[in-house]
Amino acid sequence: MLNTREPGRKARRTSSDTEVEQTLPIAKRSNKISSSEQLVHLSNANEPGQDNPATRSVNDIYDLLTKVSNNQESLRQSMEQRITNLEASFKTEISSKMKSLKLTLNTLEKGETSTNTQVSQNITHYKLVFINVPNTDTGDSEDSLKAYINGITTYLELDFNVTTVQCVGSNTNQQNKTVLVNYDNESQRVNVLKKKRELKDNPMYSHVYVETDKT
């Protein structure tokens, strides 16, 4: 049947048209993004000024690593400077201590040398002091005094002679004198000291006293 319609009017839908539409499948809308849309999306993501989370995270990590590296370098330089300063301080202090130690050692060596010299001199001269030695008939010369002291040694039954004799004291012209006597060795000096008590048994020597030299 041929449908005719007047100009300006819409065609009326018949029941047969509705049945045909119901039998045709309805096309589903696709959710897939076309290739062109994907390119647009990627280009927008990489455009400058876009706040891309992945890019921001990489930049933050890079900045953090740079700061850590700078801090490590600064710490290394600081430690090296402190070590250098300590080494210089130690060298100065050690040098000063060494100079002081050398001066002390030199002083001790000089003192030891002087002491050894004095001890050597004391050992070389084994001395005793004879007190109340009277004037001899031949005067108070060294030979006469030596003969008198040797007489005492003979009386004590000692077989040696004195080395030197010397009058000591401010007044050597008084009747009784103090005489400093030197012996050859320590053994002679000790033997005289051991037997000096025997002098009291002899009237010629009972007034003579023998003592150690304290000078």
Side-chain angles (χ1 to χ4, degrees):
M1 181 177 180
L2 181 62
N3 291 329
T4 59
R5 62 177 179 179
E6 294 179 0
R9 290 189 177 183
K10 293 182 179 180
R12 296 180 61 184
R13 297 173 62 90
T14 63
S15 59
S16 60
D17 294 333
T18 304
E19 291 176 355
V20 172
E21 290 178 357
Q22 291 178 353
T23 58
L24 293 176
I26 300 174
K28 294 183 179 180
R29 187 174 180 179
S30 176
N31 292 327
K32 294 183 179 180
I33 302 175
S34 64
S35 299
S36 60
E37 291 177 343
Q38 291 180 358
L39 291 175
V40 172
H41 179 73
L42 291 175
S43 62
N44 291 335
N46 294 327
E47 286 181 358
Q50 294 293 329
D51 192 8
N52 189 348
T55 303
R56 185 173 65 252
S57 177
V58 171
N59 291 337
D60 291 342
I61 294 174
Y62 178 78
D63 292 340
L64 179 60
L65 292 176
T66 301
K67 291 180 180 179
V68 171
S69 178
N70 292 336
N71 290 337
Q72 288 180 343
E73 180 64 18
S74 177
L75 180 61
R76 183 187 66 81
Q77 293 178 356
S78 177
M79 292 298 295
E80 288 181 352
Q81 185 63 39
R82 292 186 62 183
I83 292 173
T84 301
N85 294 339
L86 286 174
E87 288 178 349
S89 177
F90 287 156
K91 288 180 180 179
T92 302
E93 184 175 359
I94 291 173
S95 177
S96 177
K97 294 293 184 182
M98 289 298 294
K99 290 181 180 179
S100 177
L101 181 59
K102 286 181 179 180
L103 291 175
T104 303
L105 290 176
N106 290 335
T107 302
L108 291 176
E109 288 177 356
K110 291 180 180 179
E112 184 178 1
T113 301
S114 177
T115 302
N116 291 338
T117 302
Q118 184 176 1
V119 170
S120 177
Q121 291 176 350
N122 291 336
I123 292 176
T124 303
H125 302 287
Y126 304 99
K127 304 174 183 179
L128 287 176
V129 177
F130 285 70
I131 302 174
N132 289 334
V133 176
N135 289 326
T136 62
D137 295 338
T138 57
D140 56 358
S141 65
E142 181 178 352
D143 290 339
S144 63
L145 290 174
K146 185 183 292 186
Y148 184 84
I149 300 300
N150 284 334
I152 293 177
T153 304
T154 301
Y155 172 76
L156 296 176
E157 298 180 348
L158 298 174
D159 189 16
F160 54 81
N161 293 324
V162 299
T163 304
T164 60
V165 295
Q166 179 183 359
C167 288
V168 296
S170 58
N171 187 5
T172 58
N173 294 323
Q174 60 186 355
Q175 184 176 0
N176 295 326
K177 299 178 176 60
T178 299
V179 180
L180 182 64
V181 180
N182 292 320
Y183 294 92
D184 286 334
N185 52 59
E186 179 68 10
S187 177
Q188 293 178 0
R189 191 184 74 89
V190 171
N191 287 333
V192 173
L193 287 174
K194 287 180 179 180
K195 305 190 72 172
K196 68 178 183 177
R197 293 182 180 180
E198 298 179 12
L199 295 177
K200 66 181 180 179
D201 298 330
N202 188 325
M204 292 181 58
Y205 306 122
S206 60
H207 56 280
V208 177
Y209 299 94
V210 181
E211 297 180 357
T212 58
D213 178 32
K214 298 179 181 180
T215 59

